[in-house]
Amino acid sequence: MNTFLKWLLIFLSIIVLGLFSYCVFVENIFASRLSPKDTVAYKFNDLKLEVFYNRPSKKGRDIFGALVPLNEVWRTGANEATTFETNKPLKINGMPLPIGKYTLWSVPKDTVWTVIFNSKQYSWGVDTEMKPMWDPNYDVLDVEVPVHKLDKTVEQFTIGFDNTTGDLSLTMAWDDVKVAVPIEEVPEKQE
């Protein structure tokens, strides 16, 4: 029995050492993330919308046209691919979007953004060469929305839902830029 306990202790020590090494060298699960995860949700009657994304910070950097290149596809956040989920069919800026879960990509430009809803689910937003993992073959919808310049700086990238005027929109803001993507629930057909 003494030998068994000795081997059990050695085995458990190896497991603890392995877990500790993983936490230190691979992913420090105890440290806060530079771009923390966030989920925003909107619920009204039976409509449920949800966005999962990561929130990078400005930290004194130039954002659009520098950190985030203009006229190129951006993962719309950091780390994992940003997702948008709806349980009802929608009209996005007047265009139909079926029920489902989509990855959300964007192409920031000076005066407009192209916002892309893509049906493929990606585990991460960029590949090893820091290129977006976006595959245009899975694009379900893309819309252009105008850029609004802000008077004050938004330090951390923020996605939200705005229904203050009775017109629902998906908003994205960072640095001195904000865009609003109009969303409308498609009424169910009466039989």
Side-chain angles (χ1 to χ4, degrees), residues 12-32:
L12 291 175
S13 297
I14 290 171
I15 289 177
V16 169
L17 183 60
L19 289 173
F20 178 76
S21 297
Y22 176 82
C23 290
V24 171
F25 298 111
V26 177
E27 181 179 0
N28 189 347
I29 61 173
F30 303 108
S32 61

Side-chain angles (χ1 to χ4, degrees), residues 86-101:
T86 177
N87 71 330
K88 297 282 186 179
L90 303 173
K91 282 192 176 181
I92 304 291
N93 205 19
M95 303 293 291
L97 183 72
I99 295 170
K101 185 175 184 178

Side-chain angles (χ1 to χ4, degrees), residues 4 10 25 42 44 73 86 88 91 138 140 151 181 183:
F4 172 76
I10 291 171
F25 298 111
Y42 175 82
F44 184 74
V73 172
T86 177
K88 297 282 186 179
K91 282 192 176 181
Y138 293 92
V140 174
D151 293 331
V181 181
I183 298 175

Side-chain angles (χ1 to χ4, degrees), residues 1-149:
M1 186 68 172
N2 196 6
T3 306
F4 172 76
L5 289 176
K6 182 177 169 184
W7 282 109
L8 181 63
L9 186 59
I10 291 171
F11 176 72
L12 291 175
S13 297
I14 290 171
I15 289 177
V16 169
L17 183 60
L19 289 173
F20 178 76
S21 297
Y22 176 82
C23 290
V24 171
F25 298 111
V26 177
E27 181 179 0
N28 189 347
I29 61 173
F30 303 108
S32 61
R33 296 180 89 176
L34 295 176
S35 299
K37 296 177 183 183
D38 200 358
T39 301
V40 292
Y42 175 82
K43 294 177 185 170
F44 184 74
N45 295 331
D46 293 335
L47 176 63
K48 295 177 185 165
L49 306 175
E50 185 175 278
V51 174
F52 165 81
Y53 71 114
N54 288 269
R55 304 184 64 199
S57 295
K58 179 171 169 54
K59 296 183 181 176
R61 302 176 288 185
D62 291 331
I63 301 301
F64 298 106
L67 181 66
V68 176
L70 295 178
N71 305 308
E72 293 181 23
V73 172
W74 176 46
R75 60 181 154 178
T76 315
N79 304 332
E80 294 93 345
T82 296
T83 59
F84 175 93
E85 189 168 5
T86 177
N87 71 330
K88 297 282 186 179
L90 303 173
K91 282 192 176 181
I92 304 291
N93 205 19
M95 303 293 291
L97 183 72
I99 295 170
K101 185 175 184 178
Y102 303 92
T103 49
L104 196 62
W105 306 84
S106 53
V107 180
K109 302 172 191 163
D110 282 327
T111 58
V112 296
W113 278 24
T114 301
V115 179
I116 303 165
F117 294 81
N118 187 284
S119 63
K120 186 173 179 181
Q121 299 301 304
Y122 307 83
S123 59
W124 206 251
V126 293
D127 60 21
T128 55
E129 297 171 357
M130 297 305 288
K131 301 288 184 201
M133 294 184 82
W134 163 74
D135 182 345
N137 294 313
Y138 293 92
D139 288 354
V140 174
L141 173 67
D142 63 88
V143 295
E144 283 197 347
V145 291
V147 167
H148 302 283
K149 290 293 186 177

